[in-house]
Amino acid sequence: MKNTVSTFKEQKAKGQKISMLTAYDYSTAKLMDQAEINGILVGDSLGMVVLGYEDTLPVTMEDMIHHTAAVCRGAKNALVVGDMPFMSYQVSIEDAVYNAGRLMKEGKCQAVKLEGGASVCPQIRAITNASIPVMAHLGLTPQSVNAFGGFKVQGKNEDAARKLLEDAKAVEEAGAFAVVLECVPAKLAELISKSISIPTIGIGAGAGCDGQILVYQDMLGMFSDFTPKFVKQYTNIGDMMLQAFRNYITEVESGAFPAKEHTFAISDEVIQKLY
Ligand code: KIV
């Protein structure tokens, strides 16, 4: 069954949790789709886990379109959300609608995500008015890493917690169909989830959210630069890859690879004629 913004809303109404992961390429998206994930975010975390930047700020619209299109070719049933990169929506409402439109037209995703609360509501309103569903993102919004002074838990004191609650209500009112809550204390995320009618998708925000999302390299143990506290590693593919790469190198060096079954035959007669 195709997941849509409507099925996300229905899942919240029925109390069914929503599963999401990030993906950046065709074959990973295809596997997630086969596993029946509800939604895939082509996150601008791409910049860190795929492109090797220190943060998400250098990611471009071209990067996002390229990877979103690849994911959409692999995901037939998951709702694919394309992330709007830093400075693709902050400067003006026109920019925001134009770039959201590009992500949808060229990337072929079914929704876009952008970071921020009340301050980006004019953009959320304008993009949704252009019939492009918007997922909002509150809490630790990585594009604001310099303003926050690092990757830190948000909403811990009363003022900050109240602001997050108000921002969640504001993005709902502006037309967002869902909101990511990143690195928010669990009890606050639960309160926010109960206070709005759109689904909350948590990452480091506890079990009270309506759904969960993880960066797939984190949950598979493939990204070792740092592992946030909220990550659960479901397996350690990183170690398996390392071992496989080492085995390959050893076999290439020893000549054990390629074996006969990995090669193509030609008749000896043909070869003889070449001597
Ligand atoms: O870019 C991303 O992957 C994200 C998720 C962590 C929510 O924004």
Side-chain angles (χ1 to χ4, degrees):
M1 189 194 75
K2 179 70 192 163
N3 291 270
T4 65
V5 295
S6 309
T7 59
F8 268 42
K9 280 184 194 155
E10 280 163 27
Q11 278 185 257
K12 169 153 182 154
K14 290 182 191 158
Q16 291 169 353
K17 297 282 186 185
I18 299 164
S19 58
M20 288 193 74
L21 283 168
T22 67
Y24 317 91
D25 68 279
Y26 168 80
S27 33
T28 309
K30 200 168 171 187
L31 285 169
M32 288 175 185
D33 209 55
Q34 241 176 289
E36 300 190 356
I37 195 89
N38 292 131
I40 297 178
L41 170 69
V42 190
D44 64 353
S45 48
L46 164 83
M48 298 172 80
V49 295
V50 176
L51 303 176
Y53 298 134
E54 269 182 18
D55 53 41
T56 59
L57 306 194
V59 175
T60 65
M61 274 302 296
E62 267 56 42
D63 292 333
M64 291 311 308
I65 290 169
H66 184 73
H67 287 270
T68 301
V71 166
C72 288
R73 287 192 285 273
K76 298 295 167 227
N77 293 321
L79 173 79
V80 179
V81 182
D83 220 353
M84 298 197 62
F86 185 53
M87 284 298 131
S88 68
Y89 58 93
Q90 288 93 339
V91 177
S92 71
I93 294 173
E94 285 75 14
D95 263 11
V97 178
Y98 175 75
N99 285 320
R102 280 197 71 197
L103 210 45
M104 198 172 232
K105 264 174 96 94
E106 299 172 50
K108 303 212 162 42
C109 55
Q110 294 92 48
V112 301
K113 178 172 84 56
L114 53 78
E115 298 181 4
S119 64
V120 292
C121 279
Q123 282 89 330
I124 295 176
R125 208 166 275 117
I127 297 170
T128 50
N129 280 343
S131 302
I132 301 171
V134 177
M135 177 176 272
H137 185 161
L138 299 172
L140 170 52
T141 43
Q143 291 174 14
S144 303
V145 61
N146 292 306
F148 292 149
F151 294 101
K152 295 176 185 161
V153 178
Q154 301 295 308
K156 285 184 92 165
N157 64 43
E158 188 187 333
D159 282 354
R162 198 176 296 283
K163 171 87 171 80
L164 270 181
L165 182 57
E166 280 165 9
D167 275 342
K169 290 179 181 170
V171 297
E172 173 179 27
E173 199 275 322
F177 77 93
V179 55
V180 170
L181 299 178
E182 179 164 355
C183 285
V184 172
K187 284 187 179 162
L188 175 60
E190 190 177 348
L191 173 65
I192 293 173
S193 304
K194 286 181 179 152
S195 307
I196 58 178
S197 66
I198 57 173
T200 57
I201 309 295
I203 174 162
C209 293
D210 304 304
Q212 298 293 326
I213 184 163
L214 282 175
V215 170
Y216 93 84
Q217 285 88 342
D218 286 339
M219 58 92 76
L220 295 184
M222 289 171 66
F223 184 71
S224 55
D225 291 4
F226 66 90
T227 306
K229 174 185 166 166
F230 57 76
V231 168
K232 177 170 176 182
Q233 260 186 21
Y234 284 80
T235 184
N236 198 328
I237 304 268
D239 279 354
M240 289 164 71
M241 287 171 80
L242 196 61
Q243 196 49 55
F245 296 148
R246 285 186 178 137
N247 291 348
Y248 169 74
I249 293 164
T250 306
E251 290 199 359
V252 168
E253 285 173 356
S254 72
F257 177 82
K260 201 170 174 203
E261 65 267 28
H262 308 120
T263 55
F264 302 100
I266 186 170
S267 83
D268 288 345
E269 248 183 300
V270 175
I271 290 295
Q272 281 311 317
K273 286 185 182 149
L274 304 179
Y275 280 99

